Amino acid sequence: MDSADGQRGRDGGTQRRSPLDLIMNQIRRKRTAADRKPLGRFLSRDRTGIPEDGEAEVREERGQSSGVAEAAEGERDAGWGRVCVFLQRLGKKADSRSLSLAHCDLTATDLLELATLLQFLPHLEEVDVSWNELIGGCLTALTSHLQQVGGIRTLLLCSCRLNADDVIALGEALGSVPLLEILDLSWNSGVGGGALQGLLGKLHPPLRELHLVACQLTAADATVLGGMLFALPRLGVLDVSCNPQLTQEVDADGFRALAASLSHATSLATLRLQACGLTADSLDALGDSLRCLPSVRELDLSCNKSLAGGLSLLTLHLAHITHLERLDLHLCCLTHTDLVALIQVLPSLTALTELDVSSNKEAGGVVHPLVAALPLTQMRRLPLNSCSLNEESFTALALAVPFLRSVDVSWCKVVGGRLALLLDALQPSVIVELRLSSCELTTDDLRHLASVCKRGFLSSLLVLDLSYNGSVGDDGWSSLFAAGGLGSLEDVDLSLRPLTSAPCSAWLPALLCALPRLPALARLAAQRWTIGSRDRKQLNHSLRKRSVLLEWDPPNTDAAFSSCKATNQESPEEGRPEE
């Protein structure tokens, strides 16, 4: 019986266990320790919080992963902090996409420190270390770390005293920045003289802009540059201005090779060859390529005095540049024959908005046919300063003025006493730049200008240059400032000629009253006007807390005005008017 009772007790005990327990026992025997955790939590109602062995292992692994992530995040934060501290020391603000360190007096040590910080700027797209001449000769400290910022699209290295070794180091590093779109090496004389060879074959197809201004490029460099163009199908801007040796006679074929290569740069929209020593032969070579570049919108051939008499070799091809919008030929010693050839092609340039033939004396005699040949309704700039205008040409210019956004007739004496003719042709709120320097303006001219301002015709004007007009009386200056209507004005120049002077006490009160109505003013130039101590304090008080570049000749006894180009930021003790 005992045996039977014991058997019944064992059976009864077995029967009292729930079917769920039996199922769980079978499952547990088949599952690993690590697998029991989720199922046990899903089925069990007993949540004692005591982990099983597998659960402890998973938590330990997760804890380690979390620790690694937190450490990485902490390292990134610390790295960004170092970047912020470095930039703050240089007076700059941190930006994860743009690194602007131009004019920071960077040293080789700074450059090395900057290079080590690039790893904390993975999203960097723009680097500008221009105008830091002390980093020349050690650029490799930076370029050797460019692989850390492979997404760079803009690299500016202007005026850094780069030498041939720097250019080679840059060329070797360009493979790390395959997305580069803008490269500016301007104002580095060491780039010329053969160093440019270090970039041959290194530039990538995405490059859109290449700037090599004032790099002392030679005709041999022109050949190398021509070889680069074949690999740059997207190049839209090529600026090799201020390289007078580019067309040197010793190797004139160098420029011809460059000109011929331009025909392959089918995306070229801007070509600047200012002050490159161009000759009539250069224009002939250039013209052949321009026929293959209908996308060109800006062509700058200015400051090439040796092309005089040969412009017709280029104008034969200009008609094919149907999208040309800006043509710059200022200071080219253009002859009457050159200008006639230009006028003949102008009707074909239907997209033209800007034509600069200023500083060409012969231009003053052809203004009427010039204006007649232009697409006036879309013209925006037609500067004719230093063009020896006469009364007839000045009258002809008035026909174009209603459409222009910029009017520049500086150094044309015929303007004096006749300014009303020009001003009456203005359209309201169209012109943004008016330059009348050294025009022998009269007091009546300024009164008429004041009347135009008062009527709101110059409400969009940003730049007003009235310098070197000492013949204007005090009433003229006073009426101009009292008129109002110049709320957008940013830059005004009232300076007198060198070696002259005049008191400003008669019209300064009108200027002081006008300053509150000039909220956009950023530069005020009034050199060689004499100003008393009281008036100077009133001026300081009016400009206090405003970042206006004040160009006013300093009195010998006032240290606060020791520079003619000092930003007007007085201390709290200064700038208070006398009682």
Side-chain angles (χ1 to χ4, degrees):
M1 184 170 178
D2 293 340
S3 176
D5 291 340
Q7 183 66 39
R8 284 196 300 268
R10 285 192 294 273
D11 294 341
T14 303
Q15 290 175 359
R16 284 194 300 269
R17 300 176 66 183
S18 70
L20 182 60
D21 291 335
L22 295 175
I23 296 172
M24 288 299 300
N25 285 336
Q26 293 176 6
I27 293 176
R28 286 196 180 99
R29 282 195 294 269
K30 294 179 179 180
R31 292 172 60 87
T32 64
D35 292 333
R36 290 199 296 269
K37 175 188 170 188
L39 186 59
R41 288 193 172 181
F42 178 75
L43 296 175
S44 175
R45 297 180 180 177
D46 181 21
R47 302 182 181 275
T48 61
I50 303 175
E52 301 184 39
D53 294 340
E55 186 176 355
E57 293 175 6
V58 172
R59 288 191 178 181
E60 183 177 354
E61 291 175 2
R62 290 185 175 178
Q64 291 176 353
S65 300
S66 177
V68 172
E70 290 178 359
E73 184 70 22
E75 184 177 355
R76 284 194 296 269
D77 291 342
W80 177 249
R82 288 175 54 194
V83 171
C84 294
V85 170
F86 177 78
L87 294 175
Q88 185 178 11
R89 191 171 72 235
L90 298 171
K92 301 290 184 177
K93 292 183 178 180
D95 187 331
S96 62
R97 297 187 180 275
S98 178
L99 191 61
S100 180
L101 295 173
H103 300 280
C104 283
D105 294 325
L106 294 181
T107 64
T109 303
D110 294 327
L111 194 66
L112 184 59
E113 182 178 356
L114 172 63
T116 62
L117 296 176
L118 292 182
Q119 60 182 310
F120 305 114
L121 296 166
H123 305 295
L124 197 61
E125 295 183 357
E126 178 178 346
V127 176
D128 183 1
V129 291
S130 300
W131 307 101
N132 290 288
E133 298 185 347
L134 297 178
I135 66 176
C138 57
L139 189 64
T140 184
L142 179 66
T143 58
S144 60
H145 289 75
L146 286 184
Q147 70 275 9
Q148 304 282 354
V149 285
I152 287 180
R153 298 180 182 272
T154 300
L155 182 57
L156 310 179
L157 295 163
C158 307
S159 190
C160 290
R161 288 195 178 181
L162 303 184
N163 58 28
D165 291 337
D166 293 324
V167 178
I168 293 174
L170 175 61
E172 293 174 347
L174 287 178
S176 302
V177 285
L179 302 179
L180 191 66
E181 297 180 355
I182 301 174
L183 178 61
D184 195 341
L185 302 176
S186 299
W187 308 102
N188 286 290
S189 59
V191 172
L196 196 63
Q197 183 77 30
L199 298 182
L200 185 60
K202 309 293 186 180
L203 299 173
H204 300 284
L207 195 71
R208 295 187 296 104
E209 295 186 19
L210 180 60
H211 302 265
L212 297 168
V213 178
C215 287
Q216 292 194 9
L217 300 182
T218 64
D221 294 318
T223 303
V224 173
L225 183 58
M228 294 180 184
L229 297 181
F230 289 94
L232 302 175
R234 301 180 190 175
L235 191 67
V237 177
L238 178 62
D239 191 349
V240 291
S241 299
C242 303
N243 287 290
Q245 300 178 42
L246 199 66
T247 56
Q248 58 186 358
E249 296 180 3
V250 177
D251 188 8
D253 290 339
F255 182 79
R256 282 191 169 274
L258 172 60
S261 300
L262 288 173
S263 61
H264 299 280
T266 54
S267 297
L268 197 64
T270 299
L271 177 60
R272 300 188 184 117
L273 295 165
Q274 181 187 96
C276 284
L278 299 182
T279 63
D281 290 339
S282 304
L283 294 183
D284 187 26
L286 186 61
D288 291 335
S289 291
L290 288 179
R291 296 175 65 95
C292 305
L293 299 173
S295 60
V296 171
R297 285 175 166 75
E298 178 182 346
L299 180 61
D300 187 351
L301 305 175
S302 60
C303 304
N304 287 289
K305 297 181 179 181
S306 297
L307 60 75
L311 190 62
S312 59
L313 296 174
L314 180 69
T315 55
L316 291 173
H317 308 281
L318 281 182
H320 297 276
I321 314 178
T322 56
H323 297 291
L324 189 64
E325 298 174 0
R326 296 180 292 277
L327 178 60
D328 194 341
L329 294 165
H330 82 268
L331 197 61
C332 286
C333 294
L334 298 181
T335 65
H336 182 79
T337 303
D338 291 326
L339 291 164
V340 169
L342 175 63
I343 291 171
Q344 289 174 345
V345 77
L346 286 180
S348 301
L349 304 179
T350 56
L352 199 66
T353 61
E354 299 181 15
L355 174 63
D356 192 345
V357 291
S358 61
S359 299
N360 289 288
K361 292 185 178 181
E362 293 293 329
V366 296
V367 175
H368 191 278
L370 184 71
V371 169
L374 288 170
L376 284 184
T377 56
Q378 63 190 38
M379 289 299 295
R380 297 297 176 261
R381 290 189 72 251
L382 182 62
L384 291 172
N385 50 294
S386 302
C387 284
S388 299
L389 297 181
N390 53 37
E391 291 187 33
E392 180 183 357
S393 56
F394 185 66
T395 302
L397 174 61
L399 299 176
V401 166
F403 309 100
L404 301 179
R405 294 184 181 277
S406 172
V407 174
D408 188 351
V409 288
S410 297
W411 305 93
C412 296
K413 309 305 181 185
V414 70
V415 180
R418 299 179 180 84
L419 185 61
L421 178 64
L422 203 66
L423 297 177
D424 290 344
L426 294 176
Q427 293 296 314
S429 305
V430 171
I431 188 170
V432 297
E433 181 180 38
L434 179 59
R435 296 188 180 274
L436 302 167
S437 178
S438 191
C439 286
E440 293 190 357
L441 299 181
T442 66
T443 301
D444 286 340
D445 288 328
L446 264 289
R447 286 176 179 153
H448 202 91
L449 178 59
S451 176
V452 171
C453 291
K454 193 172 184 178
R455 298 200 304 269
F457 277 52
L458 298 178
S459 59
S460 298
L461 194 67
L462 303 178
V463 178
L464 177 61
D465 186 355
L466 299 172
S467 60
Y468 295 8
N469 284 290
S471 53
V472 175
D474 293 334
D475 290 344
W477 299 115
S478 297
S479 61
L480 174 63
F481 297 128
L486 293 172
S488 300
L489 194 63
E490 297 177 357
D491 187 314
V492 59
D493 195 339
L494 314 170
S495 301
L496 298 177
R497 290 179 178 276
L499 304 180
T500 62
S501 65
C504 66
S505 55
W507 55 262
L508 186 62
L511 172 62
L512 295 176
C513 291
L515 287 176
R517 302 194 301 272
L518 302 174
L521 188 65
R523 174 178 175 264
L524 172 60
Q527 292 178 314
R528 288 166 291 281
W529 286 100
T530 58
I531 183 172
S533 174
R534 179 186 179 90
D535 291 336
R536 184 170 62 251
K537 289 182 178 180
Q538 289 180 324
L539 179 62
N540 290 344
H541 179 73
S542 298
L543 294 179
R544 189 168 58 177
K545 297 182 180 180
R546 292 180 59 177
S547 297
V548 177
L549 181 65
L550 182 62
E551 299 182 13
W552 207 302
D553 285 347
N556 296 331
T557 58
D558 194 339
F561 282 74
S562 59
S563 172
C564 292
K565 294 184 178 182
T567 301
N568 187 72
Q569 294 178 342
E570 292 84 21
S571 64
E573 294 77 18
E574 297 174 340
R576 294 181 180 177
E578 295 178 355
E579 297 296 327

